[in-house]
Amino acid sequence: MRFLPGTPRALGLAAALAATAMAGPAAPQPASRTARAPRAAEEGGKAPARAEAGATPLRGSLGVPVGERLLSSSDPAARLRGIERLGAIGTEEAVSALLAALEQHGAPGSRDPRTRLAAVRALAPHAQRDSVRQQLARELSESAPARGAASPLGEVLRGTAALALARTGERRALGVLVNAIVQGGAAGEAAARAIKAHPPASLQLLLGSRKRIEPALARFLGDLGDLRAIAALRPMLEGGDRAAQVAAARALARLGDEAALAKARAWLRKPEPGLFEPTAEILVYLGAPEAADAVAALLGSELGRMEGLRLAELGPAERLAPALARALPLLPDDARPRAVAAIGRAGGAEAARQLRRILNERPELATAAAFALATMPGAEARAAVAELFDGPRAAKDADLRRLGLRAGVVRGLVLRDAPEALEKRLLAALAAPIGSSDRAVGVFGAVALGLRDAVDVVGACSPSSCDRAAVHAAARGALARGERALAALAPLFAALAAPGGDPAPGAASAASAASAASAASAASAASAASAASAAKSGDAALDAAAISAGVALLAEPGGGAIATSRLAALAEAGGPLSPLAARALASRDDEVVRGRIERLLEGSDPVVRAHVALGLGSDPMPDSVSLLARAYRFEDDPAVRRAIVRGLSRRAEVQRRRVLVAARDLDPDEGVRALARAALSGAGARALDMPRSALATGVVWVAIVPNDRSASGSASSRPARLVRPDGLAVPVVADPDGVLLVPAVPPGASAVLLAPAAPPGDAGS
């Protein structure tokens, strides 16, 4: 066989192997015969008939020994290549070599969590082997901190090992996980999540030959939600072990089995120390008539008060409103807003009366009480909200009036049940002085409820003359109106975000004659000074009004008319706009900005990393899929991994599949696995790119409260970053009185990070 001159050596070798395979079975060769050296291209195509002395065998060039040598390297990247090589070979010899390297505690990388995580992923397809199962069990255990438990990747490592075991569905692998659940701790939590992700085909695989079900295992069976566990749990109710009885009764209650009800009622008649809390929980889960009285009794006890609050949140009931109100002053400070919210969820006329009393007597809980009334269905709550802004006290108390107007707007957004007088009062507030809190409330409500357009309300606005409070309020109100309202703010953002405060080419500001006149007559010197300061402080400096108008980037993920250099400066500045700017920058990837994108993707801010990953999903450069794949490997933040999977779901390159399969099968985060399944099935994952969705009807209400009275000014018009439950970061700026209302938030927990622009000592509540 001859090769063309100049053919690469690797190609020549591949051709030789292909020719051999096509020729059929080869004749037996002596064991000492070595593979021919691929030198044909260098020697004019003439392959030597006999291998030269000392030539490297093919197995030594490409097989397990190379993986072993790489694993012994001091270079972390080389070790990772060795792990991947041995995992790809997948033979018994390769797996044994990988296990041997991991068991050598003095070997390079034996304590490196990245190396061990890569090894767990490589070993996962072989988890049915005894030796691999034992290694995965060691990785699951939290008894060896040196193996990564103290590392940020420790949780990922444990979760991946647990999922690898659970996926097998085998009795011995599940036994390892059950033992971890019984032991408790971080390993037990990882094991429980893994079994929930991969429930066993038979419950007997979990229980094994156990003659006694431990309380921890009984609790897990209740959380698992498998009704087949009822038959195993019922006999425990009559056992002699009280801890086992309690655990079984709680588990049965969670499964909806009323066999636990008789036991709970018996405990209620003859109370014993330590039994009242589980008894109340069982009654709440089963919806028993005695549940409210039991929870009220807990709220009245010193030791059970916090458990009573948890159960009141779990099972709201009108009869609990007075008990919650009585417990309110006895709860820790940080638990009192929870109690106020629980009163609102209790509902009814009594709850509305208690919330009114809290508004009058506890000013520190006024915001919590107003929010509870705003989100509580019923005519009583609606009337209470209307009284706040339209009652006798409202004319004399501006703070109370603003509180009521905000509550009315929230009620209109969440329940579509705003008080009748709300529209008139909001429009009246629009006539308040420019820059005032009253006008900011009016602007927000009018825009959020669709009474006015955001651009019309803002009026004439330039870096040197602008009603910034109106911009902040209008931008947040536009969030409730959807993508079109946000896109309308793009010209304003382009004008305010231009370097040095100069309007971007083609940027326009929409304004009515009346609003332009009022803005010119009442623009404060402080606003002009702020704009001048921003212009002098460099390319990354940004006026607060530009931060608010930056919500336009929600509707324009590519950055719109903003220059790429400006987007890069904003992304690297670390402010509230950094995440959205980073997403836009990544979508404009090219050779010039690639280095900056890579640094952002490796940065210390997980929210920015997540948005870079989202932007790379729309990156025109085909090799960006490799950036996403590398970023996923050792990312410890689950929100960032979700964003990476979303980004990969928008790519068409074949390289994405390997990462998506690993994420689907072995990622410890349930959200990551679900997104990966959707991506592999062909369903797009566009939720993070949509500024508004059918479920995004929630409202976040934040009051910025200074811990030190001397820092009260720092709460006024404070920039912040709100990270929604779906991971999207929204830049916002508070009203002059330090209040933030952010609509169009999906259900779940949001996070608010205040910009460090003020002296320390502030707290967001």
Side-chain angles (χ1 to χ4, degrees), residues 431-435 439 460 464-467 512-525 527:
I434 287 180
R439 185 166 192 268
S464 60
S465 176
C466 188
D467 181 1
S512 64
S515 59
S518 62
S521 62
S524 65
S527 297

Side-chain angles (χ1 to χ4, degrees), residues 298-387:
L298 275 178
L299 288 167
S301 66
E302 183 177 358
L303 297 178
R305 192 166 290 123
M306 290 302 297
E307 178 66 9
L309 175 58
R310 184 185 72 85
L311 294 176
E313 294 170 328
L314 183 65
E318 290 186 28
R319 291 160 55 192
L320 288 177
L324 286 164
R326 289 192 298 269
L328 192 61
L330 304 175
L331 288 167
D333 290 346
D334 59 350
R336 291 174 186 174
R338 288 175 52 197
V340 173
I343 294 174
R345 284 197 288 272
E350 179 60 23
R353 189 181 73 82
Q354 294 292 347
L355 291 172
R356 280 177 167 172
R357 186 172 65 82
I358 293 170
L359 280 165
N360 293 330
E361 299 177 4
R362 291 187 167 274
E364 76 279 5
L365 294 173
T367 298
F371 189 79
L373 285 169
T375 54
M376 188 175 81
E380 299 90 350
R382 188 194 321 114
V385 170
E387 184 180 354

Side-chain angles (χ1 to χ4, degrees), residues 140 161 218 335 455 466 557 578 708:
L140 173 63
V455 176
C466 188
S578 290
D708 186 353

Side-chain angles (χ1 to χ4, degrees), residues 52-129:
E52 298 179 2
T56 305
L58 178 61
R59 175 177 174 275
S61 299
L62 302 177
V64 175
V66 173
E68 292 176 320
R69 287 199 299 273
L70 289 171
L71 276 176
S72 63
S73 172
S74 59
D75 180 12
R79 292 197 298 269
L80 293 175
R81 289 200 304 272
I83 291 171
E84 292 172 353
R85 180 183 290 267
L86 293 175
I89 294 173
T91 62
E92 183 175 353
E93 182 183 9
V95 172
S96 298
L98 180 53
L99 290 172
L102 291 175
E103 291 171 357
Q104 295 176 7
H105 296 290
S110 61
R111 298 187 178 184
D112 177 17
R114 292 191 172 202
T115 300
R116 305 195 77 82
L117 177 57
V120 167
R121 289 169 175 164
L123 292 170
H126 314 285
Q128 295 178 344
R129 301 184 185 183

Side-chain angles (χ1 to χ4, degrees), residues 670-730:
E670 182 181 0
V672 175
R673 296 196 301 273
L675 288 170
R677 283 195 299 270
L680 289 168
S681 68
R686 302 191 186 95
L688 277 173
D689 282 343
M690 300 299 291
R692 180 174 168 80
S693 68
L695 295 177
T697 58
V699 180
V700 172
W701 189 336
V702 177
I704 303 173
V705 181
N707 293 331
D708 186 353
R709 292 185 178 180
S710 64
S712 58
S714 65
S716 177
S717 300
R718 184 75 174 270
R721 179 177 76 189
L722 182 137
V723 181
R724 303 188 334 179
D726 58 7
L728 195 62
V730 182

